């Protein structure tokens, strides 16, 4: 009887409004985070001009920002993804959740990487409360490495940190960029349960990643330099172009060595 007279429609989610929520969220980033984006892009550019690389650390679904930035057509070459299998959900969801809440895991990853003072570190965590992201940010700051955090102030602000310091990512990083994802990381609420669906943070964080790339590219151009960006391997001359760039950076970026 729930279907009679179309009464079920009252309980359906407005899925057609999802795009409206995404656009509103991205416009908030573009308008409200303009100064933070500029500061972060300048930090990255200055690092790259000193032969530094952008070290990218993230766990869970936030790790997609590292995948998006690394070895991408049109993307900057001096980017090193600090990713390990045990922190990836597709290698074991429960394991990944446990490890990102365990002390020492981020330090282990960073200690085994070639992270230098001339580098800049980008950390992405929507909640900004888990041990791994906070530990990584503190590790970098203790060594004088500039840190950029991408997080949701709205989500993080109502949650307690899982790090013993009580600090959240937004309270540690030198520069914070708000991704404007709502608490629960969903744009549409299910009336029957109160749960949210329609993922938000991934879209926003990847948008932020590409905005930073574009702004860094402009810094190169403003200084009369061609930016070190990859070309699609599926275009004429792409392989040859990329081989030259890989040779220039593979000594700093393990993912370019094989």
């Amino acid at each position: 009887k729930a279907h009679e007279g179309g009464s079920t429609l009252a309980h359906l989610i407005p899925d057609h409004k999802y795009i409206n929520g995404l656009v509103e969220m991205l416009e908030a980033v573009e308008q409200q985070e303009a100064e933070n984006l500029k500061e972060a892009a300048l930090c990255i550019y200055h690092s790259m001009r000193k032969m530094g690389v952008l070290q990218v650390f993230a766990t869970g679904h936030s790790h997609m920002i590292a995948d998006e930035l690394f070895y991408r057509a049109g993307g900057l070459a001096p980017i090193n993804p600090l990713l390990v299998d045990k922190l990836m959900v597709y290698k074991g969801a429960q394991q990944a959740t446990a490890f990102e809440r365990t002390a020492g895991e981020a330090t282990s990853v960073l200690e085994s990487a070639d992270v230098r003072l001339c580098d800049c570190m980008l950390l992405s965590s929507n909640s900004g409360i888990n041990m791994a992201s906070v530990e990584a940010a503190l590790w970098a700051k203790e060594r004088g490495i500039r840190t950029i955090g991408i997080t949701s102030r709205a989500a993080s602000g109502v949650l307690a940190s899982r790090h013993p310091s009580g600090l959240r990512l937004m309270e540690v990083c030198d520069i914070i960029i708000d991704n404007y994802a709502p608490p629960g990381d969903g744009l549409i609420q299910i009336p029957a349960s109160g749960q949210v669906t329609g993922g938000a943070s991934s879209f926003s964080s990847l948008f932020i990643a590409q905005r930073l790339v574009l702004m860094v590219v402009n810094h190169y151009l403003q200084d009369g330099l061609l930016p070190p960006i990859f070309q699609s391997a599926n275009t004429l001359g792409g392989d040859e172009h990329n081989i030259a760039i890989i040779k220039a950076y593979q000594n700093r970026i393990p993912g370019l060595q094989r």
Side-chain angles (χ1 to χ4, degrees):
K1 291 190 175 182
H3 294 281
E4 290 181 7
S7 59
T8 303
L9 294 177
H11 304 291
L12 296 180
I13 59 174
D15 58 284
H16 61 286
K17 293 185 178 181
Y18 182 49
I19 190 170
N20 299 332
L22 288 176
V23 170
E24 182 179 340
M25 181 175 62
L26 299 187
E27 286 183 340
V29 171
E30 182 72 17
Q31 295 168 12
Q32 303 301 320
E33 299 302 303
E35 291 305 313
N36 295 327
L37 285 165
K38 287 179 183 177
E39 186 179 359
L42 193 59
C43 174
I44 296 168
Y45 177 64
H46 284 162
S47 170
M48 290 181 176
R49 293 287 286 126
K50 296 174 183 175
M51 296 309 294
V53 302
L54 177 62
Q55 306 281 356
V56 186
F57 182 87
T59 62
H61 283 84
S62 292
H63 90 272
M64 286 189 283
I65 193 172
D67 285 332
E68 175 68 10
L69 286 167
F70 178 62
Y71 193 57
R72 194 197 194 291
L76 291 160
I79 293 177
N80 184 42
L82 296 166
L83 302 178
V84 292
D85 283 350
K86 62 185 175 183
L87 287 171
M88 300 297 106
V89 292
Y90 56 79
K91 290 292 184 177
Q94 295 181 65
Q95 169 187 270
T97 298
F99 275 122
E100 74 172 349
R101 296 178 179 180
T102 302
E105 292 299 330
T107 297
S108 177
V109 173
L110 297 174
E111 292 287 357
S112 63
D114 180 11
V115 182
R116 304 180 187 179
L117 187 60
C118 60
D119 295 340
C120 192
M121 188 174 292
L122 176 65
L123 305 104
S124 181
S125 171
N126 189 59
S127 69
I129 66 169
N130 283 313
M131 179 73 71
S133 59
V134 177
E135 182 178 284
L138 288 170
W139 183 95
K141 289 204 71 176
E142 287 168 1
R143 288 156 179 79
I145 298 164
R146 292 273 285 168
T147 54
I148 301 165
I150 298 176
T151 191
S152 166
R153 289 187 183 275
S156 192
V158 296
L159 298 171
S161 173
R162 292 192 172 102
H163 190 274
S165 68
L167 296 172
R168 294 163 290 191
L169 191 67
M170 65 180 182
E171 296 160 334
V172 178
C173 290
D174 298 303
I175 305 166
I176 286 295
I177 302 171
D178 194 339
N179 65 17
Y180 287 87
D185 200 12
L187 294 172
I188 296 176
Q189 188 176 64
I190 301 172
S193 66
Q195 291 180 298
V196 291
T197 186
S201 65
S202 296
F203 286 92
S204 182
S205 296
L206 297 190
F207 173 73
I208 290 168
Q210 289 300 334
R211 283 301 282 120
L212 290 173
V213 168
L214 295 172
M215 295 171 83
V216 172
V217 165
N218 263 340
H219 281 302
Y220 275 99
L221 297 176
Q222 286 168 358
D223 286 346
L225 302 168
L226 284 177
I229 61 173
F230 288 110
Q231 183 175 329
S232 171
N234 300 309
T235 59
L236 186 63
D239 287 339
E240 294 77 9
H241 174 87
N242 293 341
I243 286 172
I245 290 184
I246 287 172
K247 287 181 179 178
Y249 293 102
Q250 63 185 176
N251 67 314
R252 290 292 325 275
I253 302 171
L256 296 179
Q257 295 172 5
R258 57 189 183 277

mmCIF file of all heavy atoms in Angstrom, residues 5-25:
data_model
loop_
_atom_site.group_PDB
_atom_site.id
_atom_site.type_symbol
_atom_site.label_atom_id
_atom_site.label_comp_id
_atom_site.label_asym_id
_atom_site.label_seq_id
_atom_site.Cartn_x
_atom_site.Cartn_y
_atom_site.Cartn_z
ATOM 1 N N GLY A 5 -1.212 5.644 -4.845
ATOM 2 C CA GLY A 5 -1.363 7.099 -4.910
ATOM 3 C C GLY A 5 -0.057 7.844 -4.933
ATOM 4 O O GLY A 5 -0.015 9.046 -4.715
ATOM 5 N N GLY A 6 1.030 7.089 -5.165
ATOM 6 C CA GLY A 6 2.337 7.741 -5.246
ATOM 7 C C GLY A 6 2.840 8.232 -3.897
ATOM 8 O O GLY A 6 3.704 9.087 -3.822
ATOM 9 N N SER A 7 2.326 7.677 -2.786
ATOM 10 C CA SER A 7 2.710 8.166 -1.460
ATOM 11 C C SER A 7 4.186 7.920 -1.164
ATOM 12 O O SER A 7 4.761 8.591 -0.316
ATOM 13 C CB SER A 7 1.845 7.496 -0.378
ATOM 14 O OG SER A 7 1.994 6.081 -0.427
ATOM 15 N N THR A 8 4.780 6.928 -1.845
ATOM 16 C CA THR A 8 6.190 6.630 -1.621
ATOM 17 C C THR A 8 7.077 7.811 -2.003
ATOM 18 O O THR A 8 8.151 7.995 -1.448
ATOM 19 C CB THR A 8 6.617 5.388 -2.457
ATOM 20 O OG1 THR A 8 5.775 4.298 -2.106
ATOM 21 C CG2 THR A 8 8.064 5.017 -2.184
ATOM 22 N N LEU A 9 6.621 8.640 -2.945
ATOM 23 C CA LEU A 9 7.427 9.766 -3.410
ATOM 24 C C LEU A 9 7.826 10.697 -2.280
ATOM 25 O O LEU A 9 8.872 11.325 -2.326
ATOM 26 C CB LEU A 9 6.666 10.549 -4.488
ATOM 27 C CG LEU A 9 6.410 9.808 -5.812
ATOM 28 C CD1 LEU A 9 5.582 10.683 -6.742
ATOM 29 C CD2 LEU A 9 7.714 9.427 -6.472
ATOM 30 N N ALA A 10 7.002 10.776 -1.266
ATOM 31 C CA ALA A 10 7.299 11.666 -0.138
ATOM 32 C C ALA A 10 8.532 11.205 0.620
ATOM 33 O O ALA A 10 9.146 11.972 1.352
ATOM 34 C CB ALA A 10 6.102 11.737 0.802
ATOM 35 N N HIS A 11 8.896 9.923 0.447
ATOM 36 C CA HIS A 11 10.015 9.365 1.199
ATOM 37 C C HIS A 11 11.275 9.213 0.353
ATOM 38 O O HIS A 11 12.292 8.756 0.847
ATOM 39 C CB HIS A 11 9.618 8.009 1.788
ATOM 40 C CG HIS A 11 8.399 8.062 2.637
ATOM 41 N ND1 HIS A 11 8.372 8.703 3.856
ATOM 42 C CD2 HIS A 11 7.152 7.571 2.442
ATOM 43 C CE1 HIS A 11 7.162 8.603 4.389
ATOM 44 N NE2 HIS A 11 6.397 7.924 3.546
ATOM 45 N N LEU A 12 11.195 9.570 -0.928
ATOM 46 C CA LEU A 12 12.362 9.466 -1.791
ATOM 47 C C LEU A 12 13.302 10.649 -1.569
ATOM 48 O O LEU A 12 12.870 11.741 -1.187
ATOM 49 C CB LEU A 12 11.937 9.421 -3.266
ATOM 50 C CG LEU A 12 11.097 8.222 -3.702
ATOM 51 C CD1 LEU A 12 10.764 8.327 -5.181
ATOM 52 C CD2 LEU A 12 11.810 6.913 -3.411
ATOM 53 N N ILE A 13 14.564 10.409 -1.800
ATOM 54 C CA ILE A 13 15.530 11.503 -1.677
ATOM 55 C C ILE A 13 15.551 12.326 -2.967
ATOM 56 O O ILE A 13 15.326 11.797 -4.059
ATOM 57 C CB ILE A 13 16.943 10.966 -1.370
ATOM 58 C CG1 ILE A 13 17.423 10.011 -2.478
ATOM 59 C CG2 ILE A 13 16.981 10.292 -0.013
ATOM 60 C CD1 ILE A 13 18.860 9.562 -2.317
ATOM 61 N N PRO A 14 15.825 13.615 -2.877
ATOM 62 C CA PRO A 14 15.871 14.472 -4.069
ATOM 63 C C PRO A 14 17.201 14.313 -4.800
ATOM 64 O O PRO A 14 18.045 15.210 -4.791
ATOM 65 C CB PRO A 14 15.689 15.877 -3.488
ATOM 66 C CG PRO A 14 16.315 15.778 -2.133
ATOM 67 C CD PRO A 14 16.006 14.385 -1.637
ATOM 68 N N ASP A 15 17.406 13.157 -5.409
ATOM 69 C CA ASP A 15 18.699 12.871 -6.039
ATOM 70 C C ASP A 15 19.041 13.858 -7.146
ATOM 71 O O ASP A 15 20.222 14.098 -7.430
ATOM 72 C CB ASP A 15 18.725 11.438 -6.586
ATOM 73 C CG ASP A 15 17.618 11.194 -7.601
ATOM 74 O OD1 ASP A 15 16.456 11.031 -7.191
ATOM 75 O OD2 ASP A 15 17.922 11.179 -8.801
ATOM 76 N N HIS A 16 18.035 14.460 -7.759
ATOM 77 C CA HIS A 16 18.270 15.423 -8.835
ATOM 78 C C HIS A 16 18.910 16.716 -8.313
ATOM 79 O O HIS A 16 19.416 17.523 -9.107
ATOM 80 C CB HIS A 16 16.956 15.754 -9.550
ATOM 81 C CG HIS A 16 15.923 16.371 -8.661
ATOM 82 N ND1 HIS A 16 15.213 15.652 -7.723
ATOM 83 C CD2 HIS A 16 15.507 17.657 -8.549
ATOM 84 C CE1 HIS A 16 14.391 16.458 -7.080
ATOM 85 N NE2 HIS A 16 14.543 17.687 -7.552
ATOM 86 N N LYS A 17 18.883 16.910 -7.001
ATOM 87 C CA LYS A 17 19.486 18.105 -6.415
ATOM 88 C C LYS A 17 20.962 17.915 -6.046
ATOM 89 O O LYS A 17 21.603 18.844 -5.546
ATOM 90 C CB LYS A 17 18.696 18.543 -5.172
ATOM 91 C CG LYS A 17 17.292 19.046 -5.492
ATOM 92 C CD LYS A 17 16.613 19.580 -4.243
ATOM 93 C CE LYS A 17 15.226 20.138 -4.572
ATOM 94 N NZ LYS A 17 14.562 20.681 -3.363
ATOM 95 N N TYR A 18 21.465 16.721 -6.291
ATOM 96 C CA TYR A 18 22.857 16.435 -5.945
ATOM 97 C C TYR A 18 23.815 17.386 -6.645
ATOM 98 O O TYR A 18 24.741 17.933 -6.037
ATOM 99 C CB TYR A 18 23.175 14.982 -6.315
ATOM 100 C CG TYR A 18 24.576 14.520 -5.972
ATOM 101 C CD1 TYR A 18 25.116 14.727 -4.707
ATOM 102 C CD2 TYR A 18 25.354 13.848 -6.913
ATOM 103 C CE1 TYR A 18 26.389 14.282 -4.387
ATOM 104 C CE2 TYR A 18 26.624 13.395 -6.602
ATOM 105 C CZ TYR A 18 27.140 13.616 -5.335
ATOM 106 O OH TYR A 18 28.398 13.178 -5.029
ATOM 107 N N ILE A 19 23.585 17.605 -7.921
ATOM 108 C CA ILE A 19 24.476 18.494 -8.676
ATOM 109 C C ILE A 19 24.436 19.909 -8.117
ATOM 110 O O ILE A 19 25.452 20.613 -8.101
ATOM 111 C CB ILE A 19 24.124 18.482 -10.188
ATOM 112 C CG1 ILE A 19 25.215 19.217 -10.973
ATOM 113 C CG2 ILE A 19 22.749 19.079 -10.447
ATOM 114 C CD1 ILE A 19 25.099 19.066 -12.473
ATOM 115 N N ASN A 20 23.277 20.336 -7.630
ATOM 116 C CA ASN A 20 23.176 21.667 -7.038
ATOM 117 C C ASN A 20 24.046 21.776 -5.787
ATOM 118 O O ASN A 20 24.714 22.795 -5.560
ATOM 119 C CB ASN A 20 21.722 21.977 -6.672
ATOM 120 C CG ASN A 20 20.805 21.979 -7.875
ATOM 121 O OD1 ASN A 20 21.230 22.258 -8.991
ATOM 122 N ND2 ASN A 20 19.543 21.655 -7.660
ATOM 123 N N GLY A 21 24.033 20.707 -4.993
ATOM 124 C CA GLY A 21 24.866 20.702 -3.792
ATOM 125 C C GLY A 21 26.348 20.723 -4.122
ATOM 126 O O GLY A 21 27.135 21.408 -3.458
ATOM 127 N N LEU A 22 26.733 19.990 -5.163
ATOM 128 C CA LEU A 22 28.136 19.972 -5.574
ATOM 129 C C LEU A 22 28.583 21.352 -6.052
ATOM 130 O O LEU A 22 29.649 21.835 -5.676
ATOM 131 C CB LEU A 22 28.352 18.945 -6.691
ATOM 132 C CG LEU A 22 28.296 17.473 -6.298
ATOM 133 C CD1 LEU A 22 28.420 16.600 -7.545
ATOM 134 C CD2 LEU A 22 29.395 17.123 -5.300
ATOM 135 N N VAL A 23 27.772 21.955 -6.889
ATOM 136 C CA VAL A 23 28.121 23.278 -7.425
ATOM 137 C C VAL A 23 28.233 24.298 -6.295
ATOM 138 O O VAL A 23 29.175 25.100 -6.251
ATOM 139 C CB VAL A 23 27.078 23.738 -8.467
ATOM 140 C CG1 VAL A 23 27.297 25.202 -8.843
ATOM 141 C CG2 VAL A 23 27.153 22.861 -9.714
ATOM 142 N N GLU A 24 27.285 24.264 -5.370
ATOM 143 C CA GLU A 24 27.314 25.202 -4.231
ATOM 144 C C GLU A 24 28.584 25.009 -3.408
ATOM 145 O O GLU A 24 29.216 25.977 -2.977
ATOM 146 C CB GLU A 24 26.077 24.979 -3.366
ATOM 147 C CG GLU A 24 25.978 25.930 -2.184
ATOM 148 C CD GLU A 24 24.714 25.697 -1.356
ATOM 149 O OE1 GLU A 24 23.764 25.090 -1.887
ATOM 150 O OE2 GLU A 24 24.707 26.116 -0.186
ATOM 151 N N MET A 25 28.976 23.751 -3.201
ATOM 152 C CA MET A 25 30.164 23.448 -2.411
ATOM 153 C C MET A 25 31.429 23.941 -3.120
ATOM 154 O O MET A 25 32.303 24.570 -2.502
ATOM 155 C CB MET A 25 30.241 21.937 -2.182
ATOM 156 C CG MET A 25 31.420 21.460 -1.358
ATOM 157 S SD MET A 25 31.324 19.680 -1.027
ATOM 158 C CE MET A 25 31.393 19.030 -2.714
#
